Amino acid sequence: MIELYLDTADVAQVRRFSKSLPLKGITTNPTILAKSKSGLKETLAEMQVALGGQPRFHAQVVSDTAEKMLEEARQLNELPYDMVVKVPATEQGLAAIKLMKAEGITVLATAIYSSQQGFLAALCGADYLAPYVNRIDNINGNGVAVIADLQMLLDKNELKAKILAASFKNAQQAMDVMKLGIGAITLPVDVTAQLFAHPAVAPAVEQFGHDWKEAFGDSLSFES
């Protein structure tokens, strides 16, 4: 089954959606945390309470060399959670991924804008690959096509890396990539809400209620 994450540091929204969705955990990045005004440790502690159980958390390194990324990853890996270390899929990042995997650290290669970039990260041992669907579209690319090509490369080479698709503007983008058989997806809160928001749903439910009350008043279904 596909792993479903929320891409947010908003604890209230995670608490809200965890009631109705089978969330695997959350993904964060430096920008999300900076906007939230909460540090990583505080955010993860609150998310653990909000989600309960053993959620998986994705947190990104901010160092800029392979050696420093590795040291930062070691510290993230020591946090008392199911952690995945996010590493930009740059030249230094790919070198860091190889070092991290030699130590058994679970890694997500992020900031992926092309299928070849993701493929190289997978060859270096990355467990997850995060292509940026909407950001690719915004630079006149085709985010869905990039993911289709990357999934094909993974399948043909029997690589175990999971695509964790990221960066969405609307629910249709999310549905288009999920049709490709990807292993995971992370959604912003507003796009998650769109999944419930078909304009025909509320009128249909209201009509059911109206018709029932017309026939049976305030009685419940099992009382009729």
Side-chain angles (χ1 to χ4, degrees):
M1 184 176 74
I2 192 170
E3 296 178 10
L4 177 60
Y5 296 88
L6 288 187
D7 196 27
T8 185
D10 189 327
V11 178
Q13 293 295 337
V14 169
R15 189 179 298 114
R16 168 195 172 188
F17 285 112
S18 68
K19 294 177 181 177
S20 55
L21 296 174
L23 297 179
K24 177 73 173 179
I26 66 161
T27 58
T28 66
N29 61 44
T31 300
I32 288 173
L33 291 170
K35 288 180 178 178
S36 76
K37 307 298 183 184
S38 297
L40 180 65
K41 290 183 179 179
E42 178 184 353
T43 298
L44 295 187
E46 292 178 348
M47 291 295 183
Q48 175 66 58
V49 174
L51 288 166
Q54 294 182 312
R56 174 161 280 192
F57 298 138
H58 297 248
Q60 188 166 329
V61 297
V62 295
S63 300
D64 57 3
T65 68
E67 291 73 18
K68 290 179 180 178
M69 289 180 190
L70 174 61
E71 181 54 38
E72 192 175 346
R74 288 170 177 158
Q75 298 301 315
L76 289 171
N77 201 46
E78 289 297 317
L79 295 175
Y81 309 107
D82 179 5
M83 295 298 301
V84 179
V85 178
K86 296 178 64 176
V87 181
T90 60
E91 183 175 351
Q92 286 294 311
L94 294 180
I97 289 170
K98 291 178 68 176
L99 295 172
M100 291 174 196
K101 292 312 300 176
E103 298 189 13
I105 296 172
T106 305
V107 180
L108 178 149
T110 192
I112 292 173
Y113 284 81
S114 68
S115 56
Q116 62 266 30
Q117 187 190 7
F119 183 48
L120 291 176
L123 290 173
C124 287
D127 302 278
Y128 292 92
L129 310 169
Y132 287 173
V133 178
N134 193 63
R135 293 192 188 188
I136 294 171
D137 289 352
N138 286 342
I139 56 175
N140 297 318
N142 186 326
V144 175
V146 167
I147 289 181
D149 287 346
L150 180 53
Q151 187 64 60
M152 178 188 67
L153 287 166
L154 297 178
D155 293 342
K156 285 186 176 296
N157 289 273
E158 299 182 350
L159 293 168
K160 295 182 179 180
K162 291 182 179 181
I163 293 177
L164 193 159
S167 176
F168 294 97
K169 188 69 173 178
N170 56 65
Q172 188 59 55
Q173 287 176 325
M175 293 304 299
D176 286 344
V177 299
M178 285 192 284
K179 292 175 185 177
L180 300 172
I182 60 174
I185 191 169
T186 185
L187 298 173
V189 168
D190 61 335
V191 174
T192 304
Q194 289 176 26
L195 297 175
F196 299 90
H198 194 287
V201 173
V205 174
E206 289 174 7
Q207 186 65 50
F208 292 147
H210 175 269
D211 292 345
W212 179 265
K213 286 189 176 183
E214 284 285 307
F216 302 105
D218 292 330
S219 64
L220 301 178
S221 58
F222 63 89
E223 296 172 326
S224 63

